[in-house]
């Protein structure tokens, strides 16, 4: 894990590091607001409030398109920088980041479709024995389903480095090659770099779990703060009033959950950049040199 820590520390070295990370974290605000609006909606909510939240979620979701393209463009630029020897900091948030994100979108979209097809195929194959057993022995079928789903999730996580190599190969010179859209290219990556890629994936899986505990602690603090706010609203509100639908309660939830969402997204993204940085070394040592 020492290598993981060194890589993550390198993201906080260099010129204007505080400014770059602060601006980068702000890119997650609009998606976090959209998620907060959506998560507050429930079926028993007054129709007017539900419509306001739905419209708000939709508006912020649409507005989030530009930040998401920019975030992905920063990842593309980050890969390019690391590939050519820039070992510190993250790229600046600028117009180039947005352009790079938009240009890479077709490749990302194609591989998202491939990933979904692969996942659904694995689920279908894995579900056959559990369904057959489940018909005869219910509890055994349920247990087998849980185990198979867990195994599938782990398998998909372990597949991530090989999907990442597609983006790394594109980002090193920003050129679209036919092989980058060929699903068989994934097999080539697996054959050349299976062991070192899996080792990196397992290390960052652990780093992701540790980061999740950290963000979970933040959530607990904000949930307690929300409970305190709701308690105050309850005291000052008329008896039998539905405090959870009052403007102050809704606003408090959206603000607090937005902050939590930004923190969670930022930390996850930083871990992802560290993961990508170490995969670039694997790519250069095991794939590129053998091509």
């Amino acid at each position: 894990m020492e290598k993981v820590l060194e890589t993550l520390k390198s993201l906080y070295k260099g010129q204007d590091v505080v400014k770059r990370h602060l601006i980068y974290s702000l890119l997650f605000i609009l998606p976090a607001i959209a998620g907060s609006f959506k998560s507050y909606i429930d079926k028993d909510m007054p129709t007017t409030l539900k419509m306001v939240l739905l419209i708000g979620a939709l508006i912020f979701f649409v507005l989030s398109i530009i930040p998401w393209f920019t975030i992905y463009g920063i990842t593309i630029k980050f890969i390019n920088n690391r590939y050519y020897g820039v070992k510190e900091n993250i790229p600046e948030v600028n117009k180039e980041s947005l352009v790079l994100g938009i240009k890479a979108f077709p490749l990302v979209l194609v591989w998202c479709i491939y990933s979904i097809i692969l996942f659904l195929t694995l689920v279908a194959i894995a579900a056959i024995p559990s369904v057959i057993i489940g018909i005869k022995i219910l509890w055994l079928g349920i247990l087998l389903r849980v185990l198979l789903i867990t195994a599938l999730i782990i398998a998909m996580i372990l597949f991530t480095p090989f999907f990442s190599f597609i983006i790394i190969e594109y980002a090193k010179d920003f050129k679209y090659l036919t092989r980058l859209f060929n699903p068989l290219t994934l097999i080539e990556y697996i054959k050349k770099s299976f062991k070192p890629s899996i080792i990196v994936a397992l290390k960052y899986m652990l780093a992701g779990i540790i980061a999740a505990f950290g963000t979970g602690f933040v959530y607990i603090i904000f949930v307690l703060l929300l409970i305190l706010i709701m308690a105050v609203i309850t005291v000052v509100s008329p008896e039998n009033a539905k405090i959870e639908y009052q403007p102050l309660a809704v606003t408090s939830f959206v603000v607090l959950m937005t902050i939590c969402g930004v923190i969670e997204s930022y930390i996850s993204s930083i871990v992802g950049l560290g993961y990508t940085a170490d995969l670039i070394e694997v790519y250069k040592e095991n794939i590129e040199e053998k091509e």
Side-chain angles (χ1 to χ4, degrees):
M1 292 298 291
E2 185 178 347
K3 171 62 175 172
V4 173
L5 291 175
E6 288 178 3
T7 302
L8 293 176
K9 286 179 182 179
S10 72
L11 301 177
Y12 294 93
K13 296 178 181 179
Q15 187 177 8
D16 298 326
V17 63
V18 174
K19 178 183 175 182
R20 291 191 185 190
H21 280 267
L22 178 60
I23 295 175
Y24 179 66
S25 65
L26 294 178
L27 293 173
F28 297 100
I29 290 180
L30 293 179
I33 293 175
S36 299
F37 277 160
K38 184 178 179 298
S39 63
Y40 200 78
I41 298 171
D42 65 65
K43 63 180 181 180
D44 298 323
M45 179 178 288
T47 303
T48 302
L49 179 58
K50 186 184 295 186
M51 289 302 299
V52 169
L53 291 176
L54 281 172
I55 293 172
L58 180 61
I59 290 173
F60 280 102
F61 175 78
V62 172
L63 293 175
S64 298
I65 293 175
I66 292 178
W68 278 124
F69 276 133
T70 304
I71 290 167
Y72 208 81
I74 289 172
T75 302
I76 298 295
K77 183 61 178 176
F78 173 82
I79 293 172
N80 183 268
N81 286 348
R82 287 276 169 152
Y83 184 87
Y84 290 105
V86 179
K87 299 296 184 181
E88 295 180 347
N89 217 334
I90 61 174
E92 289 184 85
V93 177
N94 52 32
K95 184 179 178 181
E96 182 189 16
S97 306
L98 175 59
V99 172
L100 287 174
I102 293 173
K103 286 183 177 179
F105 179 70
L107 183 62
V108 176
L109 179 61
V110 168
W111 278 95
C112 281
I113 294 172
Y114 288 160
S115 301
I116 292 170
I117 293 173
L118 175 62
F119 180 76
L120 292 178
T121 301
L122 291 175
V123 169
I125 294 171
I128 293 174
S130 62
V131 170
I132 294 173
I133 294 174
I135 293 173
K136 299 178 180 179
I137 309 174
L138 182 60
W139 68 268
L140 185 58
I142 293 173
L143 176 61
L144 189 55
R145 266 194 210 101
V146 172
L147 292 175
L148 287 171
I149 290 172
T150 303
L152 279 173
I153 292 173
I154 294 174
M156 290 303 294
I157 291 173
L158 295 179
F159 261 111
T160 57
F162 309 110
F163 287 113
S164 298
F165 289 143
I166 293 290
I167 303 302
I168 291 172
E169 187 166 334
Y170 164 76
K172 68 180 183 180
D173 52 17
F174 309 128
K175 290 182 179 179
Y176 275 121
L177 304 173
T178 303
R179 58 183 265 103
L180 294 179
F181 292 91
N182 185 350
L184 296 180
T185 303
L186 209 64
I187 297 175
E188 176 191 330
Y189 293 151
I190 293 172
K191 288 167 61 178
K192 291 181 177 180
S193 65
F194 183 78
K195 184 178 178 180
S197 299
I198 294 301
I199 290 174
V200 172
L202 290 173
K203 287 180 179 179
Y204 276 92
M205 189 186 299
L206 178 58
I209 292 172
I210 295 171
F213 275 109
T215 54
F217 180 71
V218 173
Y219 265 108
I220 290 173
I221 294 175
F222 278 91
V223 167
L224 292 174
L225 182 57
L226 182 62
I227 291 173
L228 178 61
I229 293 172
M230 297 291 278
V232 172
I233 297 174
T234 301
V235 171
V236 301
S237 297
E239 191 174 351
N240 298 324
K242 291 188 175 183
I243 60 169
E244 66 269 27
Y245 300 141
Q246 291 188 17
L248 181 57
V250 175
T251 302
S252 299
F253 176 89
V254 170
V255 170
L256 293 176
M257 290 302 103
T258 295
I259 295 173
C260 286
V262 170
I263 293 172
E264 180 182 24
S265 298
Y266 169 76
I267 292 175
S268 298
S269 181
I270 289 298
V271 172
L273 289 175
Y275 181 30
T276 302
D278 284 352
L279 285 177
I280 293 170
E281 294 186 16
V282 175
Y283 175 85
K284 295 176 77 171
E285 293 173 4
N286 296 272
I287 296 175
E288 191 170 54
E289 291 184 0
K290 295 180 180 181
E291 288 180 350

